[in-house]
Amino acid sequence: MNSINLENSEIIQVVFFILLAFLSMFLVLVLFFYFSRKKIVQIEVEKKNIEIENQKKILQNTIETQEEERKRIAQDLHDDISSKLNIVSLNTHLLRTPNLKDEELNEITQNIIELTKKALENSRRIAHDLLPPVLEKFGLHSGIEELVFECNSSKSVTVEYFNSSTKESLESLSAGTQLHVFRILQELINNSLKHGKAKKITISLENISNQVKLLYQDDGLGFNRNDDEVKAGIGMSNIASRVTIINGESQIFSKPNEGFQFQLIFAYE
Ligand SMILES: Nc1ncnc2c1ncn2[C@@H]1O[C@H](COP(=O)(O)OP(=O)(O)OP(=O)(O)O)[C@@H](O)[C@H]1O
Ligand SMILES: [Mg+2]
């Protein structure tokens, strides 16, 4: 009888331990799922936060770009147009002076003609800077050709441009995308001349499936992005904003004394 009781209590103990083991395993599993779920949610939240931060930066950059652009246009209008029109106005009033000699009349009229001509030229230049007419009329390829021609005529640098992308691929780009790519190239060239003191620049456009690949390189001084001397200007961050706006992907390669390379890939419709 005693031995039966002993066996029963042993069985109860075994069952109890098995139950306890299952319960512990269950608990461990629940805890494991709870914490891994929490981790996943945390990673998702962090990702979303980074996305929001990036969007905020782009918005900030866009606003800064607009402000810079407005400042520049205001300066150009003030220095190149308003000042000239002011003198034209003064000269026109002078014409009312009684008993003007022929010589004086001639001089004043000549002044008015020359200043009006300059004001007209300047307003044309300002308008062209805002939206290069060649880009609007003939598209990105011709815009780049003109840019390259202007740089080469300065004789301080040689720019080579190769375009193997199809006409249709470039024509299907929106006017906005074409302008963004054009502005990116303008800034890259500015930097190559200003910082890299480059002597040779190569620009190429090609198609990869339904995308356009832009490759830009210079043979200048190059730089190391982590270097303290390399100050983040507005130029490179504008480029980054423009790349995001056109849904492109870009990469920069540069090392001191090894030139600078920029690659941009973006889709065409
Ligand atoms: N092609 C290049 N060769 C050598 N250094 C470059 C080149 N492009 C950029 N850099 C370095 O990167 C820095 C940041 O360039 P970024 O265009 O942002 O500013 P910036 O040209 O100094 O000023 P901003 O463009 O606002 O007038 C430059 O100051 C320069 O040190
Ligand atoms: Mg710059």
Side-chain angles (χ1 to χ4, degrees), residues 159-190:
V159 187
E160 283 184 344
Y161 169 47
F162 307 98
N163 177 18
S164 66
S165 62
T166 62
K167 209 167 169 242
E168 298 75 53
S169 67
L170 295 186
E171 274 172 2
S172 66
L173 296 172
S174 70
T177 301
Q178 296 192 36
L179 188 61
H180 284 304
V181 176
F182 185 78
R183 294 284 186 232
I184 289 175
L185 276 173
Q186 276 183 318
E187 176 58 22
L188 291 173
I189 293 175
N190 275 346

Side-chain angles (χ1 to χ4, degrees), residues 187-188 190-192 194-195 233-236 239:
E187 176 58 22
L188 291 173
N190 275 346
N191 281 351
S192 294
K194 189 164 115 186
H195 306 294
I234 211 165
M236 295 303 279
I239 290 181

Side-chain angles (χ1 to χ4, degrees), residues 202-229:
T202 314
I203 302 168
S204 70
L205 281 184
E206 62 177 294
N207 289 137
I208 304 172
S209 52
N210 61 339
Q211 293 176 312
V212 179
K213 178 172 154 189
L214 163 79
L215 200 63
Y216 175 97
Q217 38 193 331
D218 76 31
D219 67 346
L221 300 171
F223 67 106
N224 181 352
R225 285 188 116 183
N226 305 320
D227 236 338
D228 287 344
E229 281 169 27

Side-chain angles (χ1 to χ4, degrees), residues 59-76:
L59 193 67
Q60 175 82 15
N61 281 345
T62 315
I63 294 168
E64 274 174 24
T65 315
Q66 275 180 354
E67 286 306 321
E68 281 287 317
E69 196 69 359
R70 282 185 188 152
K71 220 165 90 187
R72 199 180 56 74
I73 299 165
Q75 261 169 5
D76 280 0

